[in-house]
Amino acid sequence: MKSNHELPSDVLKHLISILGNRISTKDVDLLSYSRDYWPITLHWMLKGKIPALARAIVWPKNTKEVQEVVKIAYENDIPIYTYGGGSGVLGGAIPEQGGIVVDMKKMRSIKLHEENLLVEVEAGTNGYYLEKYLNKKGYTLGHFPQSLYPSTIGGWIATKATGQFSTKYGGIEDMVLGLEAVLPWGDVVTLKPHVRSATGPDLKTLFIGSEGILGIITKAWLKIWPYPEKRILLSFASETLEEALDSVNRILKRGARPAVVRIYDVVETKRHFYKFDEVYGKIATIIILEGDSKLVEAEKQIIEEEFKGKALGEDLVKHWLETRFNVKEASEFAPLGVVFDTIEVSIHWNKAIKLYRSLINVMRSVKGTLFASAHASHFYPQGVCFYFTFAGIPKGDPTEYYNKVWDAAMKTTLEVGGAISHHHGIGRQRGKWLKEDLGPAFEVLKRVKNALDEKKIMNPRNMEV
Ligand SMILES: Cc1cc2nc3c(=O)[nH]c(=O)nc-3n(C[C@H](O)[C@H](O)[C@H](O)COP(=O)(O)OP(=O)(O)OC[C@H]3O[C@@H](n4cnc5c(N)ncnc54)[C@H](O)[C@@H]3O)c2cc1C
């Protein structure tokens, strides 16, 4: 495979003949696509270290053009990196071996199939744009990652993303009914959006969470919901994390499905709700119910019966709704030498507290750590996702400190029996633990990769597969 070389001039000419001016080899563009939101790369950039440079960036505007680009790459053994919004937080979109970056953002057509509660959407469509489009027509997708503004539908599917309203609407895997993808040798496959089908293994799931290593997702059919008729906002203060988690466990067992449930530990309660004296030193929980008014009233009743804690009303939730997309702190702190990241893992109910305590302890015990904290952000009848945040000012190399915290967190998650990622995926940061998490199934993933991408041109070495 050709890597880290200029693209051969005949290849460049061929690409230009297909894409016209929607191709660039300018330094400014190559630099713009040299990283995603992987936080440690901010520190590298501040020291003048560029994570990687592609040889060309292309902006196809339809599936046919994606196909042509992939065919050229396949014939010439050139690596391909698919780029959505570049909001991935683990380096998955970084063009590690040069090659061609395929930016999908010009593919953004939307077709509504109202009678079937489906939307057909091209993969480069921006998430916020899609949600606004649906809202105007009286619908919602129900998918609100904190990165709603900078991410794309293709990126959501490729990373197996989930949103803040997941306890009711599910993760992206619950929304994708069908999809279209360009395979590594340039053929197109359509995995049809049937209501349900028993036609062998569900092949579309191969692409959900595939992080660009098996092909390029070009289109998806997603399930939508009528725009909720009613919203109810609730919040509580609890004395302990156990008390709050147990309350939510009981609520889910009774069949209620709040859209949003978030339980903050004491540190995060102070950080997020510093304006609210009533939760100082406590565990804050916020809950949003939405949907048909009769159903949400019934759910409200269940929550009031089951939640053991002081009911606090709407203000905390309103504050959260106003601030939920704020993320500027990450880029503000890096120039001050603060190393910062988030780590999301999932665990069954019976080990939830053990995982929370163990991870907080091991992250805090790494020299240089200023704080480690968490909130529980996604809930299932079987368990929960904890979203940890750590920050430190290491004396030595930021990357060394960063990897020490990650190593400690991943090792402990595996020991306790959790999944090493709940929704950010694997990318280049988590690859080394994927093998252990999957066990013998890692070999299955490897063989699937080798069978579909025998030339290994699709996001080579991502996920370390
Ligand atoms: C502030 C912030 C908040 C976030 N909050 C959330 C959250 O709440 N929930 C959540 O799940 N994630 C969250 N993320 C992570 C990130 O936004 C998601 O992983 C998102 O799904 C990535 O989408 P993207 O379009 O930006 O993909 P990119 O970053 O461009 O790409 C991610 C990976 O997918 C591959 N890829 C992209 N598009 C395609 C395609 N069409 N076909 C094949 N492969 C493709 C890339 O090669 C790469 O490996 C957050 C990130 C940030 C920075």
Side-chain angles (χ1 to χ4, degrees):
M1 184 165 50
K2 294 185 185 72
S3 61
N4 287 325
H5 298 293
E6 296 300 318
L7 288 182
S9 61
D10 56 325
V11 169
L12 207 52
K13 272 192 202 138
H14 198 167
L15 287 168
I16 291 168
S17 74
I18 293 157
L19 299 158
N21 63 1
R22 283 175 287 106
I23 175 167
S24 174
T25 55
K26 286 186 198 148
D27 287 347
V28 63
D29 289 321
L30 303 184
L31 190 62
S32 301
Y33 289 84
S34 65
R35 58 182 286 265
D36 54 11
Y37 262 75
W38 189 12
I40 194 63
T41 57
L42 265 177
H43 291 267
W44 301 351
M45 296 293 277
L46 286 168
K47 288 195 172 138
K49 186 182 156 203
I50 298 166
L53 285 177
R55 301 302 137 190
I57 317 295
V58 300
W59 291 271
K61 63 174 195 291
N62 54 44
T63 301
K64 183 94 191 81
E65 287 186 356
V66 174
Q67 233 188 323
E68 294 296 326
V69 171
V70 172
K71 276 184 183 159
I72 293 171
Y74 179 78
E75 278 155 20
N76 293 280
D77 292 344
I78 295 168
I80 290 242
Y81 298 88
T82 313
Y83 205 95
S87 72
V89 284
L90 296 154
I94 291 178
E96 202 180 62
Q97 297 186 9
I100 302 170
V101 166
V102 179
D103 183 343
M104 298 297 288
K105 285 193 282 295
K106 288 212 181 295
M107 292 182 58
R108 49 179 184 240
S109 76
I110 303 176
K111 206 188 281 178
L112 188 62
H113 302 283
E114 264 183 294
E115 63 284 16
N116 298 326
L117 279 181
L118 272 181
V119 65
E120 183 180 340
V121 59
E122 280 188 309
T125 306
N126 172 270
Y128 175 75
Y129 178 76
L130 174 64
E131 181 61 23
K132 283 293 134 202
Y133 169 92
L134 290 172
N135 294 169
K136 277 189 199 137
K137 307 273 182 189
Y139 299 96
T140 180
L141 181 64
H143 189 72
F144 302 93
Q146 196 194 13
S147 54
L148 182 70
Y149 290 84
S151 56
T152 64
I153 278 61
W156 292 350
I157 299 171
T159 56
K160 204 171 179 188
T162 199
Q164 295 159 338
F165 286 52
S166 70
T167 302
K168 176 181 174 76
Y169 298 104
I172 195 70
E173 70 278 14
D174 300 303
M175 300 168 191
V176 178
L177 205 60
L179 60 79
E180 177 191 87
V182 173
L183 300 166
W185 59 95
D187 280 3
V188 178
V189 65
T190 303
L191 302 161
K192 294 176 202 155
H194 289 307
V195 179
R196 184 177 190 275
S197 57
T199 47
D202 187 353
L203 294 175
K204 72 174 177 294
T205 60
L206 267 184
F207 293 91
I208 303 176
S210 61
E211 301 194 25
I213 69 167
L214 300 179
I216 300 183
I217 301 155
T218 44
K219 197 202 278 192
W221 286 264
L222 305 174
K223 299 174 197 172
I224 55 172
W225 298 63
Y227 194 79
E229 184 190 5
K230 181 160 185 174
R231 223 180 219 190
I232 295 178
L233 313 181
L234 303 167
S235 67
F236 298 89
S238 306
E239 295 303 323
T240 65
L241 187 60
E242 286 88 332
E243 197 177 274
L245 286 169
D246 285 349
S247 298
V248 174
N249 188 346
R250 283 193 302 276
I251 288 163
L252 295 182
K253 269 189 190 145
R254 286 189 58 187
R257 289 292 176 271
V260 177
V261 185
R262 296 168 83 87
I263 301 176
Y264 296 85
D265 72 3
V266 173
V267 174
E268 297 213 355
T269 296
K270 278 185 196 157
R271 193 159 73 232
H272 291 287
F273 303 107
Y274 58 90
K275 290 181 186 159
F276 299 88
D277 291 344
E278 59 272 41
V279 287
Y280 188 84
K282 307 226 184 290
I283 302 289
T285 299
I286 59 162
I287 296 179
I288 299 179
L289 298 163
E290 65 175 38
D292 179 273
S293 56
K294 284 191 182 143
L295 290 176
V296 294
E297 284 298 344
E299 289 183 318
K300 180 180 178 218
Q301 207 176 326
I302 291 175
I303 290 168
E304 285 170 348
E305 283 167 16
E306 297 296 349
F307 208 101
K308 301 285 175 274
K310 188 163 185 264
L312 297 175
E314 295 191 336
D315 288 352
L316 266 78
V317 197
K318 283 184 180 159
H319 172 73
W320 178 78
L321 282 167
E322 280 159 20
T323 55
R324 67 191 172 123
F325 295 119
N326 293 0
V327 287
K328 62 180 179 175
E329 69 239 50
S331 52
E332 270 178 13
F333 288 138
L336 304 174
V338 179
V339 179
F340 161 97
D341 206 354
T342 58
I343 299 179
E344 25 58 67
V345 296
S346 72
I347 189 77
H348 291 123
W349 282 112
N350 63 344
K351 293 176 186 161
I353 285 291
K354 184 173 179 198
L355 182 82
Y356 166 77
R357 293 225 170 91
S358 310
L359 252 73
I360 292 285
N361 285 340
V362 295
M363 290 197 278
R364 280 186 188 156
S365 65
V366 178
K367 214 168 167 192
T369 298
L370 297 173
F371 74 82
S373 60
H375 61 276
S377 52
H378 305 273
F379 293 84
Y380 308 87
Q382 291 72 31
V384 57
C385 159
F386 280 111
Y387 190 95
F388 293 88
T389 301
F390 71 88
I393 303 188
K395 284 238 162 65
D397 177 21
T399 309
E400 202 182 308
Y401 163 76
Y402 181 76
N403 285 333
K404 269 190 190 156
V405 181
W406 266 94
D407 282 347
M410 293 293 92
K411 186 170 167 280
T412 308
T413 302
L414 288 164
E415 279 166 8
V416 179
I420 59 167
S421 174
H422 175 266
H423 58 266
H424 286 161
I426 302 300
R428 293 181 207 287
Q429 176 61 18
R430 270 192 172 118
K432 69 177 186 186
W433 298 285
L434 182 61
K435 199 171 181 178
E436 200 178 329
D437 186 289
L438 293 184
F442 184 76
E443 187 56 28
V444 178
L445 179 60
K446 250 188 127 132
R447 288 188 188 206
V448 169
K449 163 76 176 169
N450 291 342
L452 284 184
D453 183 19
E454 89 269 26
K455 290 193 170 189
K456 295 202 172 53
I457 58 164
M458 284 290 164
N459 207 334
R461 293 196 23 215
N462 195 26
M463 303 168 87
E464 295 196 12
V465 176

